[in-house]
Amino acid sequence: ETPSLPSFIQNVVATTVFIDSRETLWLGTPNGLFAREKNQQEFKPIIIQWITPSNKEILDIKQSPTGQLLIGTFANGLVKVDPVTHQANVLLPESNNQLSYTTRQITLAKNGTFWIGSRCGFFEFDEATEQFTKHQNDSDIPTSIPHNSVLAICRDSKGDMWLGTRIGVYYCVDEK
């Protein structure tokens, strides 16, 4: 059975869609984040204290092993959302670098950290400590990522990571 959706949802651009372990449907849009609980008809907006209120675009939604949702945004960093209470917490990879506020793609690495693509490289995010480790292009290191604009991240069946950048693909062997 397909639920009937409010007209404002039918006429909005969906930038990402995700169903969590509780079967809540999460909808990312250029105007923020919305949730529809299992067996409910209505989408409800999630209240977030935006760093950049003029741009609420959601780019990615993932669920961590702890059950929390990690939300990638175009201009507001990483948002951690409790899927039960809908409480949201904005986390900034680098508070002094607005390029890091774009958190495009979120992928769980084999070591349990999340790799997050941005406009200034990629970040490893440790959910337990809420700490970010930055990785970016360094022309003096031939094995660094080829470009700082990381658009896509994928983990293969061996646990190795693949990053798509503006000028090429970066392959990282998991040595752990």
Side-chain angles (χ1 to χ4, degrees):
E1 171 187 342
T2 304
S4 60
L5 301 177
S7 62
F8 81 93
I9 294 296
Q10 291 175 346
N11 296 319
V12 76
V13 173
T15 53
T16 186
V17 177
F18 182 79
I19 299 174
D20 71 18
S21 60
R22 298 175 57 249
E23 297 186 35
T24 298
L25 177 62
W26 296 86
L27 184 64
T29 76
N31 296 309
L33 182 65
F34 298 84
R36 184 181 63 86
E37 302 289 337
K38 182 179 179 181
N39 300 321
Q40 297 294 312
Q41 295 297 313
E42 297 286 323
F43 277 86
K44 295 183 179 170
I46 304 303
I47 306 302
I48 299 172
Q49 297 300 314
W50 300 102
I51 301 299
T52 310
S54 62
N55 190 328
K56 301 175 183 178
E57 185 169 359
I58 305 297
L59 301 177
D60 196 14
I61 304 171
K62 293 293 187 318
Q63 188 164 32
S64 76
T66 67
Q68 298 295 296
L69 295 176
L70 300 176
I71 313 297
T73 69
F74 185 78
N76 288 280
L78 182 70
V79 179
K80 193 172 180 181
V81 176
D82 182 306
V84 177
T85 65
H86 296 180
Q87 197 71 4
N89 183 23
V90 175
L91 305 168
L92 298 176
E94 295 179 311
S95 60
N96 62 345
N97 182 357
Q98 286 194 338
L99 288 178
S100 76
Y101 295 6
T102 299
T103 50
R104 290 187 174 118
Q105 181 80 43
I106 305 166
T107 302
L108 181 62
K110 190 174 176 180
N111 68 1
T113 63
F114 287 89
W115 286 26
I116 301 168
S118 78
R119 293 190 294 169
C120 62
F122 75 94
F123 293 88
E124 281 186 84
F125 174 69
D126 183 318
E127 184 183 14
T129 63
E130 294 189 347
Q131 296 296 307
F132 294 89
T133 303
K134 185 176 184 176
H135 302 272
Q136 64 184 136
N137 175 268
D138 183 336
S139 58
D140 294 332
I141 302 173
T143 57
S144 73
I145 63 174
H147 193 272
N148 285 333
S149 186
V150 177
L151 303 170
I153 303 176
C154 177
R155 184 175 107 180
D156 68 21
S157 62
K158 296 181 290 187
D160 298 340
M161 302 295 274
W162 295 80
L163 281 71
T165 74
R166 291 236 181 253
I167 64 167
V169 176
Y170 176 72
Y171 173 67
C172 181
V173 176
D174 186 351
E175 297 175 358
K176 296 181 178 174

PDB file of all heavy atoms in Angstrom, residues 115 122 135-137 141-147 150 152-154 160-173:
ATOM      1  N   TRP A 115      33.539   7.918   6.914  1.00  0.00           N
ATOM      2  CA  TRP A 115      34.251   8.792   5.982  1.00  0.00           C
ATOM      3  C   TRP A 115      33.210   9.725   5.384  1.00  0.00           C
ATOM      4  O   TRP A 115      32.158   9.281   4.914  1.00  0.00           O
ATOM      5  CB  TRP A 115      34.958   7.986   4.910  1.00  0.00           C
ATOM      6  CG  TRP A 115      36.185   7.269   5.395  1.00  0.00           C
ATOM      7  CD1 TRP A 115      36.449   6.851   6.674  1.00  0.00           C
ATOM      8  CD2 TRP A 115      37.303   6.870   4.615  1.00  0.00           C
ATOM      9  NE1 TRP A 115      37.663   6.221   6.714  1.00  0.00           N
ATOM     10  CE2 TRP A 115      38.215   6.221   5.466  1.00  0.00           C
ATOM     11  CE3 TRP A 115      37.614   7.009   3.268  1.00  0.00           C
ATOM     12  CZ2 TRP A 115      39.417   5.707   5.013  1.00  0.00           C
ATOM     13  CZ3 TRP A 115      38.815   6.486   2.819  1.00  0.00           C
ATOM     14  CH2 TRP A 115      39.714   5.847   3.686  1.00  0.00           C
ATOM     15  N   PHE A 122      38.312  14.877   2.674  1.00  0.00           N
ATOM     16  CA  PHE A 122      37.337  14.063   3.383  1.00  0.00           C
ATOM     17  C   PHE A 122      37.735  13.988   4.845  1.00  0.00           C
ATOM     18  O   PHE A 122      38.875  14.231   5.218  1.00  0.00           O
ATOM     19  CB  PHE A 122      37.171  12.670   2.758  1.00  0.00           C
ATOM     20  CG  PHE A 122      38.284  11.700   3.027  1.00  0.00           C
ATOM     21  CD1 PHE A 122      38.218  10.805   4.090  1.00  0.00           C
ATOM     22  CD2 PHE A 122      39.405  11.649   2.206  1.00  0.00           C
ATOM     23  CE1 PHE A 122      39.248   9.908   4.328  1.00  0.00           C
ATOM     24  CE2 PHE A 122      40.423  10.752   2.432  1.00  0.00           C
ATOM     25  CZ  PHE A 122      40.346   9.872   3.505  1.00  0.00           C
ATOM     26  N   HIS A 135      41.574  14.692   5.909  1.00  0.00           N
ATOM     27  CA  HIS A 135      42.474  14.160   4.888  1.00  0.00           C
ATOM     28  C   HIS A 135      42.265  14.996   3.632  1.00  0.00           C
ATOM     29  O   HIS A 135      41.128  15.172   3.193  1.00  0.00           O
ATOM     30  CB  HIS A 135      42.161  12.695   4.579  1.00  0.00           C
ATOM     31  CG  HIS A 135      42.242  11.802   5.774  1.00  0.00           C
ATOM     32  ND1 HIS A 135      43.401  11.205   6.170  1.00  0.00           N
ATOM     33  CD2 HIS A 135      41.291  11.426   6.672  1.00  0.00           C
ATOM     34  CE1 HIS A 135      43.169  10.484   7.263  1.00  0.00           C
ATOM     35  NE2 HIS A 135      41.899  10.604   7.587  1.00  0.00           N
ATOM     36  N   GLN A 136      43.350  15.515   3.053  1.00  0.00           N
ATOM     37  CA  GLN A 136      43.183  16.304   1.845  1.00  0.00           C
ATOM     38  C   GLN A 136      44.382  16.143   0.917  1.00  0.00           C
ATOM     39  O   GLN A 136      45.385  15.531   1.268  1.00  0.00           O
ATOM     40  CB  GLN A 136      42.922  17.765   2.167  1.00  0.00           C
ATOM     41  CG  GLN A 136      44.022  18.498   2.865  1.00  0.00           C
ATOM     42  CD  GLN A 136      43.580  19.914   3.220  1.00  0.00           C
ATOM     43  OE1 GLN A 136      43.840  20.351   4.311  1.00  0.00           O
ATOM     44  NE2 GLN A 136      42.932  20.615   2.329  1.00  0.00           N
ATOM     45  N   ASN A 137      44.247  16.710  -0.268  1.00  0.00           N
ATOM     46  CA  ASN A 137      45.291  16.639  -1.272  1.00  0.00           C
ATOM     47  C   ASN A 137      46.549  17.332  -0.763  1.00  0.00           C
ATOM     48  O   ASN A 137      46.490  18.403  -0.185  1.00  0.00           O
ATOM     49  CB  ASN A 137      44.816  17.291  -2.575  1.00  0.00           C
ATOM     50  CG  ASN A 137      45.918  17.344  -3.609  1.00  0.00           C
ATOM     51  OD1 ASN A 137      46.640  18.326  -3.688  1.00  0.00           O
ATOM     52  ND2 ASN A 137      46.038  16.292  -4.371  1.00  0.00           N
ATOM     53  N   ILE A 141      52.807  14.614  -1.471  1.00  0.00           N
ATOM     54  CA  ILE A 141      52.569  13.201  -1.141  1.00  0.00           C
ATOM     55  C   ILE A 141      51.800  12.563  -2.286  1.00  0.00           C
ATOM     56  O   ILE A 141      50.597  12.794  -2.444  1.00  0.00           O
ATOM     57  CB  ILE A 141      51.789  13.072   0.191  1.00  0.00           C
ATOM     58  CG1 ILE A 141      52.561  13.750   1.326  1.00  0.00           C
ATOM     59  CG2 ILE A 141      51.528  11.598   0.515  1.00  0.00           C
ATOM     60  CD1 ILE A 141      51.809  13.817   2.629  1.00  0.00           C
ATOM     61  N   PRO A 142      52.477  11.760  -3.118  1.00  0.00           N
ATOM     62  CA  PRO A 142      51.824  11.180  -4.300  1.00  0.00           C
ATOM     63  C   PRO A 142      50.619  10.287  -3.979  1.00  0.00           C
ATOM     64  O   PRO A 142      49.753  10.105  -4.818  1.00  0.00           O
ATOM     65  CB  PRO A 142      52.929  10.356  -4.969  1.00  0.00           C
ATOM     66  CG  PRO A 142      54.199  10.717  -4.295  1.00  0.00           C
ATOM     67  CD  PRO A 142      53.872  11.392  -3.003  1.00  0.00           C
ATOM     68  N   THR A 143      50.549   9.742  -2.769  1.00  0.00           N
ATOM     69  CA  THR A 143      49.441   8.845  -2.417  1.00  0.00           C
ATOM     70  C   THR A 143      48.264   9.574  -1.768  1.00  0.00           C
ATOM     71  O   THR A 143      47.305   8.928  -1.343  1.00  0.00           O
ATOM     72  CB  THR A 143      49.935   7.746  -1.458  1.00  0.00           C
ATOM     73  OG1 THR A 143      50.505   8.372  -0.300  1.00  0.00           O
ATOM     74  CG2 THR A 143      50.963   6.846  -2.130  1.00  0.00           C
ATOM     75  N   SER A 144      48.325  10.923  -1.711  1.00  0.00           N
ATOM     76  CA  SER A 144      47.189  11.650  -1.137  1.00  0.00           C
ATOM     77  C   SER A 144      46.046  11.686  -2.154  1.00  0.00           C
ATOM     78  O   SER A 144      46.231  11.390  -3.331  1.00  0.00           O
ATOM     79  CB  SER A 144      47.595  13.071  -0.727  1.00  0.00           C
ATOM     80  OG  SER A 144      47.770  13.903  -1.850  1.00  0.00           O
ATOM     81  N   ILE A 145      44.856  12.076  -1.690  1.00  0.00           N
ATOM     82  CA  ILE A 145      43.710  12.116  -2.602  1.00  0.00           C
ATOM     83  C   ILE A 145      44.002  13.100  -3.742  1.00  0.00           C
ATOM     84  O   ILE A 145      44.697  14.087  -3.546  1.00  0.00           O
ATOM     85  CB  ILE A 145      42.402  12.470  -1.870  1.00  0.00           C
ATOM     86  CG1 ILE A 145      42.437  13.855  -1.244  1.00  0.00           C
ATOM     87  CG2 ILE A 145      42.060  11.420  -0.847  1.00  0.00           C
ATOM     88  CD1 ILE A 145      41.112  14.295  -0.634  1.00  0.00           C
ATOM     89  N   PRO A 146      43.490  12.818  -4.964  1.00  0.00           N
ATOM     90  CA  PRO A 146      43.849  13.639  -6.121  1.00  0.00           C
ATOM     91  C   PRO A 146      43.248  15.042  -6.128  1.00  0.00           C
ATOM     92  O   PRO A 146      43.765  15.936  -6.788  1.00  0.00           O
ATOM     93  CB  PRO A 146      43.326  12.831  -7.312  1.00  0.00           C
ATOM     94  CG  PRO A 146      42.268  11.952  -6.754  1.00  0.00           C
ATOM     95  CD  PRO A 146      42.657  11.675  -5.334  1.00  0.00           C
ATOM     96  N   HIS A 147      42.150  15.248  -5.403  1.00  0.00           N
ATOM     97  CA  HIS A 147      41.476  16.548  -5.412  1.00  0.00           C
ATOM     98  C   HIS A 147      40.690  16.674  -4.118  1.00  0.00           C
ATOM     99  O   HIS A 147      40.212  15.681  -3.565  1.00  0.00           O
ATOM    100  CB  HIS A 147      40.532  16.635  -6.617  1.00  0.00           C
ATOM    101  CG  HIS A 147      40.030  18.003  -6.903  1.00  0.00           C
ATOM    102  ND1 HIS A 147      38.897  18.504  -6.309  1.00  0.00           N
ATOM    103  CD2 HIS A 147      40.496  18.986  -7.711  1.00  0.00           C
ATOM    104  CE1 HIS A 147      38.681  19.737  -6.744  1.00  0.00           C
ATOM    105  NE2 HIS A 147      39.640  20.050  -7.600  1.00  0.00           N
ATOM    106  N   VAL A 150      35.508  15.998  -2.722  1.00  0.00           N
ATOM    107  CA  VAL A 150      35.144  14.574  -2.676  1.00  0.00           C
ATOM    108  C   VAL A 150      33.628  14.469  -2.839  1.00  0.00           C
ATOM    109  O   VAL A 150      32.864  14.931  -1.997  1.00  0.00           O
ATOM    110  CB  VAL A 150      35.618  13.919  -1.363  1.00  0.00           C
ATOM    111  CG1 VAL A 150      35.177  12.462  -1.306  1.00  0.00           C
ATOM    112  CG2 VAL A 150      37.144  14.020  -1.250  1.00  0.00           C
ATOM    113  N   ALA A 152      31.910  11.389  -3.865  1.00  0.00           N
ATOM    114  CA  ALA A 152      31.325  10.076  -3.600  1.00  0.00           C
ATOM    115  C   ALA A 152      32.320   9.218  -2.829  1.00  0.00           C
ATOM    116  O   ALA A 152      33.532   9.340  -3.024  1.00  0.00           O
ATOM    117  CB  ALA A 152      30.961   9.390  -4.919  1.00  0.00           C
ATOM    118  N   ILE A 153      31.786   8.362  -1.948  1.00  0.00           N
ATOM    119  CA  ILE A 153      32.607   7.432  -1.179  1.00  0.00           C
ATOM    120  C   ILE A 153      31.886   6.097  -1.139  1.00  0.00           C
ATOM    121  O   ILE A 153      30.687   6.034  -0.878  1.00  0.00           O
ATOM    122  CB  ILE A 153      32.857   7.926   0.255  1.00  0.00           C
ATOM    123  CG1 ILE A 153      33.516   9.304   0.256  1.00  0.00           C
ATOM    124  CG2 ILE A 153      33.713   6.924   1.028  1.00  0.00           C
ATOM    125  CD1 ILE A 153      33.696   9.905   1.639  1.00  0.00           C
ATOM    126  N   CYS A 154      32.653   5.015  -1.382  1.00  0.00           N
ATOM    127  CA  CYS A 154      32.075   3.675  -1.381  1.00  0.00           C
ATOM    128  C   CYS A 154      33.052   2.708  -0.721  1.00  0.00           C
ATOM    129  O   CYS A 154      34.260   2.821  -0.910  1.00  0.00           O
ATOM    130  CB  CYS A 154      31.803   3.257  -2.824  1.00  0.00           C
ATOM    131  SG  CYS A 154      31.165   1.591  -2.989  1.00  0.00           S
ATOM    132  N   ASP A 160      37.908  -2.002   1.563  1.00  0.00           N
ATOM    133  CA  ASP A 160      38.689  -0.905   0.995  1.00  0.00           C
ATOM    134  C   ASP A 160      37.747   0.215   0.558  1.00  0.00           C
ATOM    135  O   ASP A 160      36.589  -0.024   0.224  1.00  0.00           O
ATOM    136  CB  ASP A 160      39.514  -1.390  -0.203  1.00  0.00           C
ATOM    137  CG  ASP A 160      40.525  -2.475   0.184  1.00  0.00           C
ATOM    138  OD1 ASP A 160      40.859  -2.574   1.387  1.00  0.00           O
ATOM    139  OD2 ASP A 160      40.971  -3.203  -0.711  1.00  0.00           O
ATOM    140  N   MET A 161      38.261   1.435   0.585  1.00  0.00           N
ATOM    141  CA  MET A 161      37.438   2.610   0.299  1.00  0.00           C
ATOM    142  C   MET A 161      37.788   3.197  -1.069  1.00  0.00           C
ATOM    143  O   MET A 161      38.954   3.245  -1.456  1.00  0.00           O
ATOM    144  CB  MET A 161      37.637   3.665   1.385  1.00  0.00           C
ATOM    145  CG  MET A 161      37.301   3.185   2.792  1.00  0.00           C
ATOM    146  SD  MET A 161      35.575   2.767   3.044  1.00  0.00           S
ATOM    147  CE  MET A 161      34.931   4.379   3.449  1.00  0.00           C
ATOM    148  N   TRP A 162      36.765   3.660  -1.754  1.00  0.00           N
ATOM    149  CA  TRP A 162      36.889   4.307  -3.056  1.00  0.00           C
ATOM    150  C   TRP A 162      36.282   5.699  -2.927  1.00  0.00           C
ATOM    151  O   TRP A 162      35.156   5.838  -2.455  1.00  0.00           O
ATOM    152  CB  TRP A 162      36.131   3.516  -4.105  1.00  0.00           C
ATOM    153  CG  TRP A 162      36.692   2.153  -4.359  1.00  0.00           C
ATOM    154  CD1 TRP A 162      36.495   1.025  -3.611  1.00  0.00           C
ATOM    155  CD2 TRP A 162      37.539   1.770  -5.432  1.00  0.00           C
ATOM    156  NE1 TRP A 162      37.159  -0.030  -4.152  1.00  0.00           N
ATOM    157  CE2 TRP A 162      37.820   0.399  -5.279  1.00  0.00           C
ATOM    158  CE3 TRP A 162      38.099   2.454  -6.516  1.00  0.00           C
ATOM    159  CZ2 TRP A 162      38.623  -0.302  -6.164  1.00  0.00           C
ATOM    160  CZ3 TRP A 162      38.898   1.751  -7.398  1.00  0.00           C
ATOM    161  CH2 TRP A 162      39.155   0.386  -7.222  1.00  0.00           C
ATOM    162  N   LEU A 163      37.036   6.708  -3.350  1.00  0.00           N
ATOM    163  CA  LEU A 163      36.548   8.084  -3.297  1.00  0.00           C
ATOM    164  C   LEU A 163      36.504   8.656  -4.699  1.00  0.00           C
ATOM    165  O   LEU A 163      37.486   8.593  -5.436  1.00  0.00           O
ATOM    166  CB  LEU A 163      37.472   8.965  -2.453  1.00  0.00           C
ATOM    167  CG  LEU A 163      37.340   8.867  -0.939  1.00  0.00           C
ATOM    168  CD1 LEU A 163      37.863   7.560  -0.414  1.00  0.00           C
ATOM    169  CD2 LEU A 163      38.070  10.017  -0.296  1.00  0.00           C
ATOM    170  N   GLY A 164      35.372   9.216  -5.072  1.00  0.00           N
ATOM    171  CA  GLY A 164      35.245   9.917  -6.347  1.00  0.00           C
ATOM    172  C   GLY A 164      35.468  11.395  -6.116  1.00  0.00           C
ATOM    173  O   GLY A 164      34.828  11.996  -5.258  1.00  0.00           O
ATOM    174  N   THR A 165      36.408  11.985  -6.854  1.00  0.00           N
ATOM    175  CA  THR A 165      36.702  13.411  -6.724  1.00  0.00           C
ATOM    176  C   THR A 165      36.456  14.097  -8.062  1.00  0.00           C
ATOM    177  O   THR A 165      36.168  13.446  -9.058  1.00  0.00           O
ATOM    178  CB  THR A 165      38.163  13.659  -6.288  1.00  0.00           C
ATOM    179  OG1 THR A 165      39.025  13.405  -7.394  1.00  0.00           O
ATOM    180  CG2 THR A 165      38.555  12.779  -5.107  1.00  0.00           C
ATOM    181  N   ARG A 166      36.622  15.395  -8.082  1.00  0.00           N
ATOM    182  CA  ARG A 166      36.401  16.164  -9.318  1.00  0.00           C
ATOM    183  C   ARG A 166      37.373  15.789 -10.432  1.00  0.00           C
ATOM    184  O   ARG A 166      37.070  16.035 -11.599  1.00  0.00           O
ATOM    185  CB  ARG A 166      36.512  17.660  -9.032  1.00  0.00           C
ATOM    186  CG  ARG A 166      35.383  18.168  -8.200  1.00  0.00           C
ATOM    187  CD  ARG A 166      34.672  19.303  -8.888  1.00  0.00           C
ATOM    188  NE  ARG A 166      33.596  19.782  -8.042  1.00  0.00           N
ATOM    189  CZ  ARG A 166      32.318  19.547  -8.292  1.00  0.00           C
ATOM    190  NH1 ARG A 166      31.950  18.877  -9.345  1.00  0.00           N
ATOM    191  NH2 ARG A 166      31.393  20.018  -7.478  1.00  0.00           N
ATOM    192  N   ILE A 167      38.540  15.228 -10.108  1.00  0.00           N
ATOM    193  CA  ILE A 167      39.497  14.904 -11.181  1.00  0.00           C
ATOM    194  C   ILE A 167      39.932  13.445 -11.210  1.00  0.00           C
ATOM    195  O   ILE A 167      40.798  13.083 -11.991  1.00  0.00           O
ATOM    196  CB  ILE A 167      40.747  15.803 -11.127  1.00  0.00           C
ATOM    197  CG1 ILE A 167      41.529  15.572  -9.853  1.00  0.00           C
ATOM    198  CG2 ILE A 167      40.375  17.255 -11.310  1.00  0.00           C
ATOM    199  CD1 ILE A 167      42.921  16.183  -9.872  1.00  0.00           C
ATOM    200  N   GLY A 168      39.356  12.610 -10.385  1.00  0.00           N
ATOM    201  CA  GLY A 168      39.737  11.206 -10.433  1.00  0.00           C
ATOM    202  C   GLY A 168      39.234  10.418  -9.241  1.00  0.00           C
ATOM    203  O   GLY A 168      38.627  10.961  -8.320  1.00  0.00           O
ATOM    204  N   VAL A 169      39.530   9.127  -9.281  1.00  0.00           N
ATOM    205  CA  VAL A 169      39.110   8.208  -8.231  1.00  0.00           C
ATOM    206  C   VAL A 169      40.307   7.872  -7.360  1.00  0.00           C
ATOM    207  O   VAL A 169      41.417   7.661  -7.860  1.00  0.00           O
ATOM    208  CB  VAL A 169      38.515   6.920  -8.852  1.00  0.00           C
ATOM    209  CG1 VAL A 169      38.168   5.908  -7.778  1.00  0.00           C
ATOM    210  CG2 VAL A 169      37.283   7.258  -9.684  1.00  0.00           C
ATOM    211  N   TYR A 170      40.097   7.813  -6.078  1.00  0.00           N
ATOM    212  CA  TYR A 170      41.132   7.488  -5.106  1.00  0.00           C
ATOM    213  C   TYR A 170      40.763   6.156  -4.474  1.00  0.00           C
ATOM    214  O   TYR A 170      39.648   5.963  -4.000  1.00  0.00           O
ATOM    215  CB  TYR A 170      41.192   8.589  -4.051  1.00  0.00           C
ATOM    216  CG  TYR A 170      42.157   8.344  -2.918  1.00  0.00           C
ATOM    217  CD1 TYR A 170      43.528   8.421  -3.109  1.00  0.00           C
ATOM    218  CD2 TYR A 170      41.691   8.061  -1.642  1.00  0.00           C
ATOM    219  CE1 TYR A 170      44.413   8.227  -2.061  1.00  0.00           C
ATOM    220  CE2 TYR A 170      42.565   7.873  -0.584  1.00  0.00           C
ATOM    221  CZ  TYR A 170      43.919   7.950  -0.802  1.00  0.00           C
ATOM    222  OH  TYR A 170      44.788   7.764   0.235  1.00  0.00           O
ATOM    223  N   TYR A 171      41.724   5.227  -4.457  1.00  0.00           N
ATOM    224  CA  TYR A 171      41.519   3.905  -3.876  1.00  0.00           C
ATOM    225  C   TYR A 171      42.377   3.793  -2.643  1.00  0.00           C
ATOM    226  O   TYR A 171      43.579   4.069  -2.676  1.00  0.00           O
ATOM    227  CB  TYR A 171      41.899   2.836  -4.910  1.00  0.00           C
ATOM    228  CG  TYR A 171      41.902   1.426  -4.394  1.00  0.00           C
ATOM    229  CD1 TYR A 171      40.718   0.805  -3.998  1.00  0.00           C
ATOM    230  CD2 TYR A 171      43.090   0.701  -4.298  1.00  0.00           C
ATOM    231  CE1 TYR A 171      40.709  -0.498  -3.532  1.00  0.00           C
ATOM    232  CE2 TYR A 171      43.087  -0.607  -3.840  1.00  0.00           C
ATOM    233  CZ  TYR A 171      41.894  -1.203  -3.453  1.00  0.00           C
ATOM    234  OH  TYR A 171      41.891  -2.484  -2.995  1.00  0.00           O
ATOM    235  N   CYS A 172      41.767   3.424  -1.522  1.00  0.00           N
ATOM    236  CA  CYS A 172      42.486   3.325  -0.266  1.00  0.00           C
ATOM    237  C   CYS A 172      42.341   1.920   0.293  1.00  0.00           C
ATOM    238  O   CYS A 172      41.237   1.498   0.636  1.00  0.00           O
ATOM    239  CB  CYS A 172      41.934   4.350   0.729  1.00  0.00           C
ATOM    240  SG  CYS A 172      42.769   4.332   2.302  1.00  0.00           S
ATOM    241  N   VAL A 173      43.446   1.197   0.383  1.00  0.00           N
ATOM    242  CA  VAL A 173      43.441  -0.160   0.935  1.00  0.00           C
ATOM    243  C   VAL A 173      43.314  -0.075   2.449  1.00  0.00           C
ATOM    244  O   VAL A 173      44.058   0.666   3.098  1.00  0.00           O
ATOM    245  CB  VAL A 173      44.734  -0.915   0.544  1.00  0.00           C
ATOM    246  CG1 VAL A 173      44.781  -2.288   1.199  1.00  0.00           C
ATOM    247  CG2 VAL A 173      44.843  -1.024  -0.963  1.00  0.00           C
TER     248      VAL A 173
END
